[in-house]
Amino acid sequence: MKFDDKLTDVMTAAGLNLIAQALTIYDADLRLVLCNAPFQQMFDLPKALVTPGASFEETITHLARSGEYGDVADVKAFVAERVLQARAFEPHYMERTRANGRTISVEGSPLPQGGWVTVYTDISRTKQQEALLRARSDALSGQVLAHAEELSATNRELAAMNTALEEAKRQLILSEARTRLTTEMMPAHIAHVDGDARYTYSNRRLASVMPGRPEELIGKPISEVLGPQAYNCVAPALEQAFAGKLSVIEFTDEASARRIRGAFTPDTRGGVYILSMDVTEETQNRVALQQTHRREMAAQVISGLAHDFSNLLTIILGLQSRLGRLDDLPATAVPLIEGTLAAARRGGALLSTIADMTGARTLRPTATHIGRMLDDLTLLAGPTLPAGMTLDIANHMPDQAVLLDSGLVQDGLLNLILNARDACGGTGRITLEVKPVHETWIECTLRDTGPGFSKSALAHGFEPFFTTKGAEGSGLGLPMVYDMVKSAGGDLRLSNVDDGALVTMRLPYRPAVSATTGLVLLVEDADDLRALVRDMLIGLGHSVIEAASADEAMALLADLPDIALILSDIQLMGEATGLDLAKRLPPDAPPLVLMTSLPVDDTQFLAAQAIAPVLRKPFDIKDLIALIAPSELAAQ
């Protein structure tokens, strides 16, 4: 029979309530973790002071004021001394006569993880028996013997009870250790805050979810740990949880540039449980998928209209050409015909642009060196700028290949540079800066010294056909850049600074696989495809060992420490997939590249993108080189 945690807690509480002694457990922050019913009954405590999370200081204050310790002249100083002793807790045993005349023994023992467990026993009857023995020991030797036997029995009961309590303490320590180990293995931050929004528990994973935060949180207020920006984002959800309502939110942590999902669950005994997860890659994939769906819908709507409009333009062009060849046309008709032809041709070019924007387009990220891409961009953009304008490009990216569709990114940056040129006029400065943001984003910021964006441009700049250039603009430049960025899972923003306009482009930071010519583990269940890919790898100078399933691949990895790269299909022989293989790999495993013919909106494809570079089938040797040996591609 399997017990759940709630049933175990109920049964444990019921068992502790049957113990005659009063029992308490306080944590390292002097807050109540557990107590039984005799504790409340012995000291006549209100419910608030026997509820988990209750303060030790408040409990001692209540007891001092209610006369438990007799006449206390300075309650504040008395309580401060007791709290100081508790913080430097030492194992102890003492006997104390209470204000009501009864005598209790107090036995305390510290816990390894901080805090202590204390047992209170009413020994009034034992003390009375001892006094009686001293007063009438000569006359009542028989009674002395009886009382001695009864006292001995009582001592045996106490010894048995202490043994049971030690076992309970040991089990509690083991249970907490297992719980902490489990929570610390989870890729999420699990925590609990009390009614004052201070942490009472944490699995020490906050720094991995939100870099820059401390690991030791116990006793600290959540507002201080998260910082003003992040706390302001979660404060409404936290307040709802304190009010008894479950709440889930997503927000961007500006300090780490991560997208965070937080779930806030009310604790019926006081406080709130918090689950925080880093969903940055999930959000990037979701944004890319949403943009793909938007493009598909736009293509369906526009394709039919574009076809009909294209036919009309063809008719107009044909008729105007025939009209222009007539001999008896007046001289004033010639410029009208030429203007009509020019407008029709421009309409055709616009249709081609719309087709490029809404038509089927698949991003093909390859290993890209940012420095080389920016050098090429300088060569392309330089001749288009007037003599009085300068272009400064600063690259702060590490010398490491990243996965980007370099052609589309370069086109997008060139489009932004040309827009900045047009805004500045004949003179000015354009500055492009590329840098990593917390190894989450590649951020490209483009500044110019022009007049900046108008209010309408800031509000509608990404809308198709919106332009501030009049007849000279198509209104499709920025929308196409926006479409590219969103399709890659990134973000594009427009803003103004003191001396001009600012465009911020963020793309997912995904390091490429390092080039290698070592032993490659090829995992593919289709014999013909495995043979084809094997020949490609051998042609690139690799040695190849093959497997058809995830289990077989793991066995080879265990036996062959010289494997330098794993190239695996997602769909494999057996129940385990390439995704399962990726999850089984140890931290020091060689780089992994996944292959698939699944569509880009498939859940397995999206999950694969978050794990490793993905090579889409069908592919040729250049596609393979682009992911595993970019230097060879550059040499060809």
Side-chain angles (χ1 to χ4, degrees):
M1 179 177 179
K2 184 178 180 181
F3 293 93
D4 58 25
D5 292 341
K6 185 175 181 181
L7 180 59
T8 301
D9 290 344
V10 171
M11 295 180 69
T12 301
L16 292 176
N17 289 337
L18 292 175
I19 298 173
Q21 284 89 347
L23 178 143
T24 62
I25 299 177
Y26 281 87
D27 63 16
D29 294 317
L30 307 188
R31 292 192 175 274
L32 184 65
V33 176
L34 179 69
C35 71
N36 62 353
F39 175 65
Q40 181 180 16
Q41 297 161 3
M42 178 178 288
F43 298 105
D44 192 22
L45 295 172
K47 184 177 181 181
L49 296 181
V50 294
T51 301
S55 167
F56 175 78
E57 181 178 356
E58 293 174 355
T59 303
I60 296 299
T61 302
H62 173 83
L63 292 174
R65 288 176 177 170
S66 63
E68 171 66 26
Y69 302 104
D71 186 15
V72 179
D74 188 344
V75 172
K76 186 174 181 180
F78 177 83
V79 171
E81 182 181 358
R82 288 301 182 96
V83 170
L84 187 63
Q85 292 175 353
R87 292 195 182 279
F89 193 86
E90 296 290 340
H92 66 273
Y93 175 86
M94 60 175 288
E95 295 179 358
R96 177 171 65 83
T97 300
R98 304 174 62 195
N100 60 7
R102 302 194 68 82
T103 304
I104 60 173
S105 66
V106 182
E107 182 178 1
S109 178
L111 297 173
Q113 68 273 29
W116 69 90
V117 57
T118 307
V119 178
Y120 307 83
T121 306
D122 190 330
I123 58 173
S124 301
R125 186 178 178 187
T126 302
K127 287 295 183 181
Q128 291 171 359
Q129 291 171 353
E130 291 176 352
L132 179 63
L133 287 173
R134 284 193 299 269
R136 304 177 64 186
S137 59
D138 294 336
L140 300 173
S141 58
Q143 293 183 22
V144 169
L145 181 59
H147 287 314
E149 291 175 351
E150 185 176 352
L151 181 60
S152 177
T154 302
N155 287 337
R156 287 194 299 272
E157 290 176 3
L158 287 174
M161 186 64 66
N162 286 336
T163 301
L165 290 176
E166 285 294 329
E167 177 61 20
K169 183 179 77 171
R170 189 182 70 84
Q171 291 295 335
L172 179 63
I173 293 171
L174 290 175
S175 176
E176 181 176 347
R178 286 193 296 267
T179 302
R180 178 170 290 279
L181 178 61
T182 301
T183 56
E184 289 183 355
M185 291 176 64
M186 296 183 65
H189 180 228
I190 301 172
H192 180 272
V193 295
D194 60 15
D196 296 327
R198 290 179 177 271
Y199 285 100
T200 61
Y201 174 80
S202 168
N203 68 340
R204 302 175 186 173
R205 296 282 294 174
L206 181 61
S208 63
V209 175
M210 301 173 68
R213 269 58 175 199
E215 289 188 358
E216 297 298 331
L217 310 180
I218 307 303
K220 296 180 181 179
I222 187 174
S223 57
E224 175 187 316
V225 170
L226 295 185
Q229 183 268 332
Y231 178 73
N232 290 336
C233 291
V234 306
L238 187 61
E239 291 176 4
Q240 287 186 16
F242 277 127
K245 183 179 179 181
L246 175 67
S247 182
V248 179
I249 63 166
E250 281 191 17
F251 68 96
T252 298
D253 174 37
E254 293 181 357
S256 63
R258 301 282 183 90
R259 188 71 177 171
I260 308 299
R261 178 181 299 142
F264 300 81
T265 304
D267 180 3
T268 55
R269 297 176 295 180
V272 175
Y273 291 102
I274 304 174
L275 174 67
S276 307
M277 298 180 63
D278 178 2
V279 294
T280 305
E281 291 184 346
E282 175 188 332
T283 303
Q284 292 170 349
N285 291 331
R286 185 170 65 239
V287 168
L289 182 58
Q290 289 172 347
Q291 188 66 16
T292 299
H293 287 166
R294 290 193 189 102
R295 296 178 74 256
E296 290 175 351
M297 292 178 61
Q300 292 175 1
V301 173
I302 292 174
S303 60
L305 295 176
H307 179 267
D308 294 340
F309 189 42
S310 179
N311 289 339
L312 291 175
L313 288 177
T314 302
I315 295 173
I316 291 172
L317 287 170
L319 292 177
Q320 289 297 307
S321 296
R322 289 174 60 186
L323 186 60
R325 290 195 297 271
L326 295 178
D327 296 332
D328 54 351
L329 282 177
T332 56
V334 175
L336 297 177
I337 294 172
E338 291 178 351
T340 304
L341 288 171
R345 292 191 184 98
R346 185 176 178 188
L350 184 61
L351 282 178
S352 298
T353 304
I354 293 173
D356 291 339
M357 182 175 176
T358 60
R361 180 175 61 192
T362 300
L363 289 173
R364 287 193 173 271
T366 59
T368 302
H369 288 278
I370 297 294
R372 297 175 192 169
M373 184 188 74
L374 294 178
D375 290 342
D376 293 341
L377 179 65
T378 303
L379 293 175
L380 291 172
T384 68
L385 302 180
M389 189 172 296
T390 58
L391 172 63
D392 296 327
I393 297 180
N395 177 26
H396 303 295
M397 292 291 294
D399 187 18
Q400 176 190 28
V402 294
L403 289 176
L404 287 177
D405 190 324
S406 58
L408 290 179
V409 174
Q410 193 176 78
D411 289 346
L413 291 175
L414 181 60
N415 195 308
L416 296 177
I417 291 173
L418 296 180
N419 281 349
R421 176 203 64 184
D422 296 340
C424 290
T427 61
R429 178 181 295 275
I430 301 172
T431 304
L432 173 62
E433 182 180 12
V434 184
K435 63 180 181 181
V437 179
H438 299 291
E439 297 187 354
T440 303
W441 301 101
I442 299 171
E443 184 176 85
C444 307
T445 53
L446 188 83
R447 302 171 184 264
D448 65 55
T449 56
F453 292 106
S454 64
K455 290 184 178 179
S456 58
L458 290 173
H460 306 289
F462 299 141
E463 297 176 5
F465 307 113
F466 175 85
T467 180
T468 57
K469 300 178 183 178
E472 297 299 321
S474 66
L476 292 175
L478 271 179
M480 291 185 70
V481 179
Y482 180 80
D483 173 65
M484 180 275 296
V485 173
K486 287 295 183 179
S487 296
D491 189 32
L492 187 67
R493 297 181 183 179
L494 308 179
S495 59
N496 288 323
V497 291
D498 294 339
D499 57 350
L502 172 65
V503 181
T504 303
M505 175 196 296
R506 279 185 171 181
L507 297 167
Y509 189 135
R510 290 171 179 157
V513 178
S514 301
T516 175
T517 54
L519 179 62
V520 176
L521 172 58
L522 174 60
V523 191
E524 168 64 66
D525 60 342
D527 295 340
D528 52 348
L529 286 176
R530 191 166 64 246
L532 179 63
V533 177
R534 179 185 62 226
D535 291 344
M536 290 184 186
L537 291 169
I538 292 175
L540 294 174
H542 299 274
S543 301
V544 181
I545 188 169
E546 303 171 24
S549 68
D551 295 337
E552 187 179 355
M554 290 302 299
L556 290 172
L557 281 168
D559 294 336
L560 299 172
D562 295 333
I563 293 176
L565 176 70
I566 305 169
L567 180 60
S568 173
D569 194 12
I570 291 180
Q571 295 171 309
L572 300 172
M573 181 182 297
E575 296 183 359
T577 66
L579 301 179
D580 297 319
L581 172 61
K583 294 175 183 177
R584 296 179 187 177
L585 295 177
D588 58 348
L592 170 70
V593 174
L594 293 171
M595 307 178 289
T596 186
S597 56
L598 295 170
V600 294
D601 58 350
D602 188 277
T603 54
Q604 286 188 317
F605 184 91
L606 295 175
Q609 281 191 314
I611 296 174
V614 180
L615 190 60
R616 293 200 64 200
K617 298 177 180 178
F619 58 85
D620 57 21
I621 193 167
K622 287 190 175 182
D623 297 323
L624 183 60
I625 291 173
L627 280 183
I628 68 172
S631 58
E632 294 185 26
L633 184 62
Q636 288 187 354

XYZ file of all heavy atoms in Angstrom, residues 121 392 428 440 494 550 631:
45
model
N 8.042 17.163 29.981
C 7.374 16.096 30.737
C 6.947 16.625 32.096
O 7.752 17.248 32.812
C 8.316 14.897 30.926
O 8.814 14.485 29.642
C 7.582 13.734 31.574
N 29.769 52.707 -38.130
C 30.665 52.072 -37.165
C 30.033 50.767 -36.695
O 28.881 50.766 -36.241
C 30.913 52.983 -35.953
C 31.631 54.266 -36.337
O 32.440 54.217 -37.270
O 31.354 55.321 -35.723
N 25.616 62.171 -41.086
C 25.221 61.547 -39.830
C 26.105 60.351 -39.504
O 27.080 60.052 -40.209
N 21.957 34.157 -23.459
C 20.570 33.835 -23.809
C 20.202 34.448 -25.154
O 19.494 33.838 -25.935
C 19.610 34.364 -22.728
O 19.957 33.815 -21.463
C 18.162 33.998 -23.049
N 11.551 49.153 -31.390
C 11.895 50.492 -31.861
C 11.811 51.453 -30.682
O 10.897 51.358 -29.859
C 10.932 50.959 -32.957
C 10.707 50.028 -34.163
C 9.711 50.658 -35.129
C 12.028 49.734 -34.872
N 18.613 3.995 -29.295
C 19.211 4.770 -28.210
C 19.962 3.858 -27.249
O 21.040 4.218 -26.755
C 18.129 5.558 -27.480
N 34.421 25.515 -40.924
C 35.672 25.950 -41.550
C 35.876 25.300 -42.914
O 36.418 25.902 -43.838
C 36.854 25.633 -40.633
O 36.896 24.235 -40.352
